Amino acid sequence: MKFPVSELIERVHPPPISEVKGWLAAANPKLALIDLCQAIPDYPPPPELVDHLEQVMRDPLTSRYSIDEGLPEVREAVCRGYRRLYDACIDPSQICLTIGASQALWLAMVTLCRAGDEVIVQLPAYFDHPMALAVLGIRAVFAPFDESTGGLPDVAAIAGLITDKTRAILLVTPSNPTGAVIPPETINELHQLARRRNVALVLDETYNSFITGGVRPHDLFRDPCWGDYFVHIASFGKTFALTGYRAGMLAASSKFIEHALKAQDTMAVCQPRVTQHAVQYGLDHLSDWVAQNRVMMERRHEVFRAEMAKPGNPFRLVASGPFFGWVAHPCAGRTGREVAKRLVEESGMLLLPGEVFGPGLEGYLRLAFGNIKEEVIPEAVQRFRDFKS
């Protein structure tokens, strides 16, 4: 390549998952690989969903575009699902179906921000969020990580970061990478802060179906005027084991969605019809299946916490939830990348270094529980114990 590319994209680090999987060539050949890297369910969608999609694919309309925001009947199904989960006051005009939660984030940011604007991002941050902001020329202002709270946001600290350039407060709950769930009362406080300072509260709730106990994540959707200061990002990919289908959603006020559709039309046009049919079927028929998987992930989390708490482990569990663990590594003066590479090469463990989740996090590692079955967890934690720091 001889021509220049954007200086903005040159400064962005490579995709972390691709980087880490590139280390596999040096993995310890004597040990079966334990993959704690990517946050994907290790189980397939249920057979009845697959059977339904086989029939859907026979309809010639499935191969065509839908309207940009998605089929009305699918958005109606989303509304029904959200009334069950959130007791939500929501209608189809407040929904745009997207190519995964990542595209929903892009839609939200290009609708909210211009280059040079600021978005407050809580550390540790899901790595795609700062990457997207950097590519768009939007400044990520990081709210510091407090290990004593497991990385939960401090409302006063966030308030102190708001300037006249701030357009949004961007948070992930349950957190990727820590697994921590922001308490509903804290979300309410953050929403009131956003209202007072005339900025958007943007919540990425990709893992909202994996909150312990299946409790309601928060009460914001119960307010008929929730869209005044709240923008919601979600994914059905984890919920229905459809990560390859790229099943995401943006929810906001009808006016916000009208503006976002201008970008949607130039970016993706629409979520694929087959994905929309999968989402609709899941919402209408798979509530019990989703709950069973949540309980399974809760059990994996409980086993992992119990194993990590046993004596003799140099790695320390800082925060966790049913999908993720955030671990402090024991190698003082070493980066997360250095430790993660050694874990692949010496221990046959694949996971992500902390620094890809934001500055100052080199002392940590992220573990994803989606790929690891319960019976393998003791062996995984034993490899941590055996690691020579």
Side-chain angles (χ1 to χ4, degrees), residues 220-287:
L220 298 189
F221 279 117
R222 302 180 79 186
D223 181 351
C225 298
W226 62 265
D228 287 354
Y229 293 95
F230 174 41
V231 175
H232 169 80
I233 293 166
S235 169
F236 303 103
K238 309 298 192 300
T239 304
F240 301 125
L242 296 169
T243 54
Y245 284 66
R246 311 306 300 127
M249 183 184 82
L250 176 69
S253 69
S254 299
K255 188 66 177 178
F256 191 94
I257 295 296
E258 286 179 18
H259 289 306
L261 289 176
K262 302 169 189 176
Q264 170 83 340
D265 197 64
T266 67
M267 188 183 293
V269 179
C270 62
Q271 186 183 86
R273 275 184 183 252
V274 65
T275 299
Q276 294 183 51
H277 284 292
V279 168
Q280 182 181 5
Y281 186 92
L283 288 164
D284 286 345
H285 300 286
L286 298 180
S287 294

Side-chain angles (χ1 to χ4, degrees), residues 120 122-123 142-146 149 151-163 166 169 171 182-197 199 201 203:
I120 296 170
Q122 177 64 54
L123 291 178
F142 293 113
F145 170 59
D146 182 353
T149 69
L152 291 174
D154 181 310
V155 178
I158 289 174
L161 297 174
I162 296 175
T163 71
T166 305
I169 302 164
L171 304 167
I182 303 175
E185 55 270 24
T186 303
I187 290 176
N188 287 334
E189 290 180 41
L190 289 161
H191 186 242
Q192 292 304 314
L193 171 63
R195 184 186 298 273
R196 291 194 305 272
R197 302 300 294 271
V199 300
L201 175 63
L203 295 183

Side-chain angles (χ1 to χ4, degrees), residues 321-367:
F323 234 92
F324 297 109
W326 185 244
V327 171
H329 69 70
C331 303
R334 299 291 184 181
T335 67
R337 272 188 176 86
E338 290 172 313
V339 176
K341 288 183 78 172
R342 281 190 57 201
L343 281 164
V344 174
E345 295 166 1
E346 300 171 19
S347 305
M349 301 265 283
L350 191 69
L351 35 74
L352 287 178
E355 57 263 39
V356 305
F357 299 96
L361 300 173
E362 292 82 0
Y364 301 94
L365 303 167
R366 190 202 77 175
L367 288 60

Side-chain angles (χ1 to χ4, degrees), residues 47-57 277-278 280-282 285:
E48 58 267 36
L49 173 55
V50 176
D51 292 343
H52 173 71
L53 294 180
E54 286 181 356
Q55 297 304 310
V56 165
M57 292 301 294
H277 284 292
Q280 182 181 5
Y281 186 92
H285 300 286

